Amino acid sequence: MGGADSLTDTKAQEQNSVASPASGERSALNALSDFLRDDMESCNREIVARMQSPVPLIPQLGAHLVAAGGKRLRPLLTLASARLCGYEPSPERQRHVGLAACVEFIHTATLLHDDVVDESTLRRGLASANAVFGNKASVLVGDFLFARSFQLMTADGSLKVMAILSAASATIAEGEVLQMATQNDLSTPIEKYLEVIHGKTAALFAAACRVGAVVAERPEAEEAALEAYGTNLGMAFQLVDDALDYAADQQVLGKTVGDDMREGKITLPVLAAFNAGDEAARGFWLRVIETGDQTEEDLPHALALIEKTGAIQTTLDRARVYADAAIEALSIFPDSPIRRLMIDAASYTVSRAN
């Protein structure tokens, strides 16, 4: 590592890579969403309709979640994968739409539960549901959304689809428990951290993509290719999320920068900085992460240590490997506009700012 100038250059490169919107960043997911506009609108209508309940608190909390927006990336992947595989719905039967809504409900249920566990107060730049409605309401509405997702699986009628999505739901729960078990533990191997993010994020990405091939009744090879695409995309997505917690603009990110450190979460930026740090730096990380003894001055110091060790770039480099693997997985499919858009989405994942 060089002197102050090289550190400044490194920091500038990392900020340009993570916290500043890259050229074409906004268009990558927007272009995919625009291409699937009719499907996405149908999916959004299905989500709103399925959030209705005679219990007033459920649609009220649901409206809060819808107002918070979000990328809708996981249902978008189901719709895109189905179209990539040539699925042609009928006016009476749009399996890909129902399953895309199902995937979003699984995801949203986990977010509601996560925000309670993490005691988060912000979600997508707005007050989190638990901050507005309380922990009890968030947990119970999360349970309601899980139940709705299984109703949608049942309505689809495919045991194979149910097996894929129910297995993903169980894996997500396992990933969250494993993350809790590794919390505050800087001896966590990087392989164990990768196992955590596979469970909590990549498993649902994989399932969301694979069911697109299932509804199109495509061969197992295409199912496996889309599952690999989703898995690698999800891994890249979570790695960048973890980098953003230490490198993003808080207003752009939509949550408080440094939340992972405050919660003692073990992520690759922290592991990379800890493993590459000198004795003083390692002592700092042990204090703030393992003992939870933190002051207001600790976050700026943590950011400086992460900058000094190049931990953000280390994280992004690994994310790029996964993104490239996602792109390679699509090579089984012939060239088409939807395939190119899905490739762009994988590239975007590593350059996004939120």
Side-chain angles (χ1 to χ4, degrees):
M1 188 62 67
D5 289 343
S6 64
L7 289 177
T8 302
D9 290 343
T10 300
K11 180 63 174 177
Q13 290 168 1
E14 290 172 354
Q15 288 181 330
N16 287 336
S17 297
V18 183
S20 300
S23 175
E25 171 192 306
R26 178 168 170 74
S27 67
L29 285 184
N30 282 4
L32 183 58
S33 185
D34 288 346
F35 189 84
L36 298 167
R37 183 181 301 278
D38 291 345
D39 286 346
M40 283 300 294
E41 289 177 352
S42 296
C43 179
N44 287 333
R45 287 194 294 270
E46 183 78 1
I47 289 169
V48 171
R50 294 285 183 164
M51 278 187 174
Q52 297 309 305
S53 167
V55 179
L57 182 58
I58 292 174
Q60 287 171 12
L61 199 150
H64 177 82
L65 296 173
V66 171
K71 300 178 182 66
R72 292 269 199 270
L73 178 54
R74 292 154 188 82
L76 183 61
L77 290 174
T78 297
L79 300 173
S81 296
R83 292 298 188 181
L84 178 69
C85 290
Y87 177 66
E88 291 293 342
S90 67
E92 300 80 22
R93 180 101 162 118
Q94 297 192 29
R95 294 178 67 193
H96 65 321
V97 170
L99 292 175
C102 173
V103 166
E104 181 67 4
F105 280 147
I106 294 171
H107 173 57
T108 305
T110 64
L111 292 185
L112 285 171
H113 291 166
D114 287 352
D115 283 346
V116 171
V117 171
D118 297 340
E119 299 180 352
S120 299
T121 58
L122 283 179
R123 170 66 64 181
R124 296 166 183 158
L126 298 176
S128 60
N130 54 303
V132 176
F133 296 94
N135 288 338
K136 293 179 181 179
S138 291
V139 169
L140 293 173
V141 173
D143 292 345
F144 171 84
L145 294 182
F146 265 128
R148 274 287 193 253
S149 73
F150 277 86
Q151 287 179 321
L152 284 162
M153 291 181 219
T154 303
D156 180 75
S158 167
L159 285 176
K160 187 171 189 177
V161 164
M162 183 172 288
I164 292 167
L165 291 175
S166 60
S169 299
T171 301
I172 293 167
E174 289 171 343
E176 294 293 348
V177 173
L178 184 58
Q179 178 173 261
M180 185 175 65
T182 61
Q183 195 159 325
N184 306 106
D185 184 3
L186 285 165
S187 68
T188 301
I190 290 176
E191 291 73 19
K192 183 67 70 175
Y193 159 77
L194 295 174
E195 186 181 342
V196 168
I197 67 173
H198 174 269
K200 64 179 283 189
T201 301
L204 187 56
F205 275 64
C209 292
R210 186 180 174 191
V211 296
V214 173
V215 299
E217 299 180 349
R218 300 304 300 163
E220 288 282 345
E222 293 186 17
E223 284 186 38
L226 281 167
E227 184 174 41
Y229 172 79
T231 297
N232 286 290
L233 183 63
M235 295 295 288
F237 188 90
Q238 188 59 55
L239 281 160
V240 174
D241 246 20
D242 291 346
L244 286 169
D245 198 72
Y246 291 95
D249 181 308
Q250 184 164 304
Q251 290 183 322
V252 175
L253 182 60
K255 66 176 186 178
T256 308
V257 171
D259 271 352
D260 287 352
M261 188 186 85
R262 295 183 189 93
E263 295 162 11
K265 285 184 180 177
I266 301 301
T267 62
L268 188 53
V270 169
L271 288 176
F274 176 74
N275 292 335
D278 57 21
E279 184 177 351
R282 291 166 71 89
F284 168 82
W285 289 115
L286 287 168
R287 174 174 63 81
V288 299
I289 297 294
E290 293 212 340
T291 70
D293 178 13
Q294 298 181 16
T295 68
E296 290 185 4
E297 293 75 29
D298 285 335
L299 179 58
H301 187 55
L303 298 180
L305 291 175
I306 283 175
E307 172 190 335
K308 182 178 179 180
T309 55
I312 296 300
Q313 196 58 53
T314 297
T315 305
L316 292 180
D317 288 345
R318 192 174 286 254
R320 170 51 67 187
V321 171
Y322 283 112
D324 288 345
I327 292 168
E328 177 60 28
L330 295 181
S331 62
I332 190 176
F333 298 97
D335 183 42
S336 65
I338 188 69
R339 177 177 175 268
R340 291 193 293 271
L341 288 167
M342 291 173 73
I343 288 171
D344 289 345
S347 295
Y348 152 82
T349 295
V350 186
S351 65
R352 65 193 178 90
N354 61 22

